[in-house]
């Protein structure tokens, strides 16, 4: 799970885009997924997500994300298909409208979840924070909070894994538990994770203050993030994607 959010160095077309352009691409794909009501267009957006991953040179990570989402998607598809009562019956209590609605819900979930993870895989967190401050003039403390949250996600997941391994060594059988029972066994582990999270946040705050966090401005960073022709083309494609989704 830690590798899922890890930056992958490269010199691909996606790597060379401005960090803000990558965020715009993510927002455009997510917006198009919610604007459109076409099942075919949602499939096209999913293919665009996969294409971005392959062009960026991270095919294994792209397929890994897709595989993880398929597990959640299968459950949501079944749930949505059983709960929707509109339309003509197909078999048992499942209707044609239920299947169509379930397909749209699942595809939207997959289309929306993939772009941001792929963007984080081809963008350094520091570049993302600095670009937000320099280009969009976001206050540094807000950009720092956002990027720090993203950076801590894999660390928290790793700590939770270590806590579960420690409990397993003490005789707690997580592997044999299923469903609600397993959830009930995991919930008490949130207390030590919360304590370690508070300690980590406190040490991070002390380190940031020691490095002059309150003195940081948009001009403090040495690296600049200019927009090039490739960023303009990508931005135009984002606008066309949303417009086409609205028309469809």
């Amino acid at each position: 799970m830690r590798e899922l959010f890890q930056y992958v160095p490269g010199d691909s077309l996606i790597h060379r885009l401005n960090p803000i352009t990558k965020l715009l691409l993510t927002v455009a794909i997510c917006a198009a997924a919610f604007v459109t009501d076409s099942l075919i267009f949602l499939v096209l957006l999913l293919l665009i997500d996969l294409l971005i991953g392959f062009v960026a040179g991270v095919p294994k990570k792209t397929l890994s994300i897709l595989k993880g989402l398929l597990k959640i998607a299968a459950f949501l598809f079944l749930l949505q298909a059983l709960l929707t009562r509109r339309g003509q019956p197909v078999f048992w209590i499942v209707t044609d409208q239920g299947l169509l609605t379930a397909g749209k819900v699942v595809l939207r979930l997959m289309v929306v979840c993939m772009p941001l993870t792929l963007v984080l895989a081809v963008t350094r967190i520091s570049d993302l924070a600095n670009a937000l401050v320099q280009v969009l003039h976001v206050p540094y403390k807000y950009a720092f909070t956002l990027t720090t949250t993203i950076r801590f996600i894999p660390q928290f997941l790793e700590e939770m894994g270590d806590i579960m391994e420690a409990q397993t060594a003490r005789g707690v059988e997580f592997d044999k538990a299923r469903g609600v029972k397993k959830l009930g066994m995991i919930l008490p582990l949130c207390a030590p994770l919360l304590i370690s999270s508070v300690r980590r946040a406190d040490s991070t705050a002390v380190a940031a203050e020691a490095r002059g966090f309150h003195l940081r401005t948009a001009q403090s960073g040495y690296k600049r993030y200019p927009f090039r022709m490739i960023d303009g083309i990508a931005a135009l494609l984002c606008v066309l994607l949303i417009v086409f989704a609205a028309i469809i």
Side-chain angles (χ1 to χ4, degrees), residues 130-153:
N130 292 332
L132 287 172
V133 175
Q134 291 182 14
V135 180
L136 298 183
H137 303 289
V138 176
Y140 181 73
K141 59 182 179 180
Y142 297 132
F144 177 81
T145 302
L146 174 63
T147 54
T148 302
T149 302
I150 296 173
R151 185 182 290 113
F152 278 173
I153 289 176

Side-chain angles (χ1 to χ4, degrees), residues 195-233:
I195 294 173
S196 64
S197 302
V198 172
R199 290 176 178 173
R200 185 183 296 274
D202 185 63
S203 61
T204 302
V206 172
E209 288 295 331
R211 296 177 181 179
F213 174 80
H214 61 286
L215 300 176
R216 185 67 182 260
T217 63
Q219 290 74 33
S220 298
Y222 72 92
K223 192 173 181 180
R224 294 293 177 262
Y225 304 90
F227 284 95
R228 296 172 293 180
M229 182 179 295
I230 187 175
D231 296 300
I233 296 174

